[in-house]
Amino acid sequence: MNQTVQISPSDLDAQRTYCAQIADHWSARGRTPSAYVETYGCQQNEADSQRIRGMLLTCGYRMAEGPEGADVVVMNTCAIREHAEQRVFGNLGALTHTKRRHPEQKIFLCGCMAGQREVVERLRRSYPHVDGVFDPQALWRFPEILYRSLTTGKRVFPTELSPDSIAEGLPVLRDSRHKAWVSIMYGCNNFCTYCIVPYVRGRERSRRPEAILDECRALIAGGCREITLLGQNVNSYGKDLDMGWDFSDLLAAVAELEGDFWIRFMTSHPRDAGKKLFDTMAAHPKIAKQLHLPFQSGSSRILKAMNRHYDRAEYLKAVEYAKSVMPELVLTSDVIVGFPGETEADFEETISLISQVRYDALFTFIFSPRPGTPAAEMPDPTPKEEKNRRFDRLCGLQNAISEEIHRGYIGRTLTCLIDGREGGLLTARTEGGRLVRLEGPEDLIGTFAPVRITGATTWSLTGTLEA
Ligand code: SAH
Ligand code: SF4
Ligand code: F3S
């Protein structure tokens, strides 16, 4: 049984000492070092990268725009599909050149690829320019790994994977003052048969509610207007804490904090997304009426083979209830095409589910066998061309639905959170999370404003500020 380790304050103090020693190392050389952190994969990795940047800042580094000339490069990787890994190996290969031009450069690889022993071994053997590797459970030890590499010049490769851990109070460098990711739990216990995440991120473990609420309070006091609670399966929150708190209780407690902000969360697993969650969302105005509820397949037979623990009818029932208590709900989802053994009839069920639910947007994936997962061993007779054909048909259907739904926004005035600037226009999000582009002054960034929607495409909306 894999036990969760709560990283002790003294262990974290020791890491702070490494940070101070690294800062001394650079000030003795009379210059400010630079660091570049590249993130692949999901929001969990984005959140982890913000902690890595926070640690680097504490060590005296400034952030660089790219790997060229940076003293430290950290690749925070994703292992979810083969393509994701190939991109990392490709970009890692290219770093041999940046390192040749700047031989002092230190290159580290972390994230989900570092949670696979075979990958770590391949990096050790075939990528000699990589100075060190650490898995997601060892994130908090990065200062020590960096210090060892800087002072000994030796490569730092773990011989085994780290135990599951929770480390509170790591420094964090967020890229926006107005939006923040807050991890509420780590790991996953679901073992969907196609998925690598439980193998690389360990078992589910929840942060204590006080720690989460304190972090949210500090964010709101600092001007944060949008908090996204993160976990691979947020509905399992609290099961390991024995406090009688579930995710809905946590969500309600965050929603009751003082201040003007929206709360979002992801990801919800349909297996335990029930009435209590949807009633809580409906009852609290600060909880954005947005739900990402991955269905993966419309065929109950395939869902069983995926080990998803719900069938088509149960999924549809949950969606129906959610929509009944939140008529404005914006619903998004993930779907996998071409799971081993998916027949034309199974695929038709996926198509009909999409037509019936009418998602605002879908994240669509072609099945990618991940070594070590059960689905990678399942017979998969469907040719690649056939899978591509199904994929294209599904995307065509969804794009048409997204565009129709977006057109329905035209003429409406919605409260939006203005969150940035891109190519001369402000960017904003509706409560449902839809992207809106509009003209307006930069000082509106970080505020809520009424926006009249004037145009729509499959992917986004355009609008004007309402006086
Ligand atoms: N924890 C989240 C999402 C994890 S990964 C959840 O359970 O919903 C994000 C998405 O990647 C998954 O929802 C799934 O649609 C897709 N995915 C995961 N493993 C995959 C694989 N081996 N091949 C193709 N898509 C995959
Ligand atoms: Fe992967 Fe399933 Fe866990 Fe999501 S719930 S991370 S798809 S195993
Ligand atoms: Fe990728 Fe790891 Fe997220 S595998 S999708 S970065 S949890």
Side-chain angles (χ1 to χ4, degrees):
M1 177 76 191
N2 204 345
Q3 289 276 315
T4 299
V5 182
Q6 185 85 36
I7 306 305
S8 70
S10 63
D11 282 346
L12 290 171
D13 276 347
Q15 296 301 317
R16 280 185 211 107
T17 306
Y18 286 117
C19 290
Q21 286 173 325
I22 294 168
D24 288 347
H25 168 96
W26 287 108
S27 58
R29 280 166 179 70
R31 74 180 179 92
T32 304
S34 63
Y36 176 65
V37 181
E38 183 151 290
T39 316
Y40 300 79
C42 64
Q43 292 80 3
Q44 189 65 67
N45 261 18
E46 294 284 352
D48 286 350
S49 284
Q50 295 181 349
R51 306 222 170 252
I52 296 168
R53 292 193 189 100
M55 290 187 264
L56 283 162
L57 200 69
T58 314
C59 296
Y61 288 76
R62 66 172 177 82
M63 296 306 126
E65 296 287 310
E68 190 65 56
D71 297 294
V72 167
V73 177
V74 182
M75 306 269 271
N76 190 6
T77 65
C78 172
I80 200 82
R81 283 168 289 274
E82 195 184 351
H83 177 71
E85 293 199 349
Q86 279 165 351
R87 262 184 68 212
V88 170
F89 280 121
N91 293 351
L92 198 55
L95 290 182
T96 51
H97 306 295
T98 65
K99 191 157 181 163
R100 196 170 303 136
R101 289 189 285 267
H102 180 32
E104 271 192 28
Q105 184 168 70
K106 297 284 181 192
I107 299 171
F108 298 95
L109 187 138
C110 63
C112 293
M113 281 170 71
Q116 295 168 286
R117 283 165 187 275
E118 327 70 73
V119 174
V120 174
E121 188 49 27
R122 177 171 165 195
L123 290 164
R124 200 181 60 74
R125 261 190 288 110
S126 312
Y127 292 78
H129 63 302
V130 174
D131 294 284
V133 166
F134 53 100
D135 62 55
Q137 280 68 255
L139 184 87
W140 62 278
R141 290 186 48 217
F142 175 52
E144 177 183 347
I145 293 162
L146 176 57
Y147 179 80
R148 274 172 43 202
S149 173
L150 280 173
T151 52
T152 68
K154 291 203 178 113
R155 305 174 80 203
V156 188
F157 275 71
T159 47
E160 50 190 295
L161 298 179
S162 316
D164 295 351
S165 64
I166 294 188
E168 290 293 352
L170 294 181
V172 49
L173 179 62
R174 293 195 154 92
D175 44 15
S176 162
R177 251 190 62 188
H178 316 295
K179 304 204 294 191
W181 311 113
V182 172
S183 295
I184 62 165
M185 57 192 298
Y186 307 97
C188 183
N189 286 355
N190 280 329
F191 290 96
C192 302
T193 52
Y194 50 80
C195 187
I196 193 78
V197 173
Y199 302 89
V200 293
R201 289 223 173 232
R203 295 291 65 69
E204 276 171 8
R205 51 219 188 263
S206 306
R207 290 177 65 197
R208 302 196 64 83
E210 324 72 273
I212 297 167
L213 291 168
D214 283 348
E215 185 173 348
C216 292
R217 265 189 219 100
L219 284 165
I220 298 158
C224 190
R225 296 276 173 264
E226 182 187 286
I227 291 176
T228 305
L229 305 179
L230 287 183
Q232 292 300 339
N233 173 18
V234 291
N235 303 115
S236 286
Y237 176 79
K239 285 184 185 164
D240 55 326
L241 291 179
D242 274 341
M243 293 178 59
W245 266 55
D246 65 11
F247 178 61
S248 301
D249 299 322
L250 177 75
L251 200 54
V254 179
E256 275 155 24
L257 296 176
E258 291 277 322
D260 196 12
F261 61 96
W262 277 335
I263 308 157
R264 306 184 191 280
F265 57 91
M266 66 189 311
T267 298
S268 244
H269 192 296
R271 156 200 205 171
D272 16 46
K275 285 194 169 158
K276 183 172 175 190
L277 173 66
F278 302 137
D279 290 342
T280 305
M281 289 177 74
H284 291 272
K286 290 180 195 171
I287 305 177
K289 303 300 174 268
Q290 175 199 9
L291 182 66
H292 183 65
L293 196 65
F295 71 101
Q296 313 297 3
S297 168
S299 154
S300 296
R301 195 179 73 81
I302 295 294
L303 287 170
K304 197 164 175 33
M306 287 176 163
N307 193 32
R308 290 288 288 180
H309 296 281
Y310 57 85
D311 62 18
R312 178 190 173 94
E314 285 162 342
Y315 182 88
L316 287 171
K317 211 170 129 206
V319 166
E320 192 188 349
Y321 184 78
K323 285 184 167 180
S324 76
V325 292
M326 294 174 282
E328 292 279 303
L329 184 69
V330 166
L331 191 63
T332 58
S333 195
D334 294 346
V335 54
I336 298 176
V337 172
F339 184 82
E342 181 191 75
T343 63
E344 192 62 29
D346 293 318
F347 175 67
E348 287 300 338
E349 292 207 66
T350 292
I351 289 286
S352 78
L353 187 136
I354 293 169
S355 308
Q356 190 174 338
V357 174
R358 291 180 60 82
Y359 294 98
D360 294 73
L362 262 186
F363 298 87
T364 51
F365 307 104
I366 293 185
F367 170 73
S368 169
R370 306 284 56 224
T373 63
E377 308 297 320
M378 296 178 187
D380 189 7
T382 312
K384 195 165 168 280
E385 299 69 39
E386 173 59 22
K387 292 189 181 188
N388 288 339
R389 194 196 56 77
R390 289 180 193 168
F391 184 77
D392 291 345
R393 190 172 147 214
L394 190 155
C395 293
L397 169 66
Q398 180 55 45
N399 290 349
I401 295 172
S402 292
E403 193 176 339
E404 272 172 42
I405 295 178
H406 276 173
R407 285 197 178 287
Y409 282 90
I410 295 176
R412 293 180 62 195
T413 297
L414 304 168
T415 299
C416 292
L417 176 61
I418 315 287
D419 63 2
R421 181 176 274 284
E422 218 180 76
L425 290 175
L426 293 178
T427 57
R429 294 277 167 179
T430 66
E431 180 179 339
R434 304 289 80 211
L435 174 64
V436 188
R437 292 195 176 83
L438 66 153
E439 287 192 12
E442 198 146 324
D443 60 7
L444 284 182
I445 294 174
T447 65
F448 289 104
V451 177
R452 192 178 150 79
I453 305 301
T454 52
T457 69
T458 307
W459 316 111
S460 66
L461 306 167
T462 47
T464 53
L465 279 172
E466 193 108 305

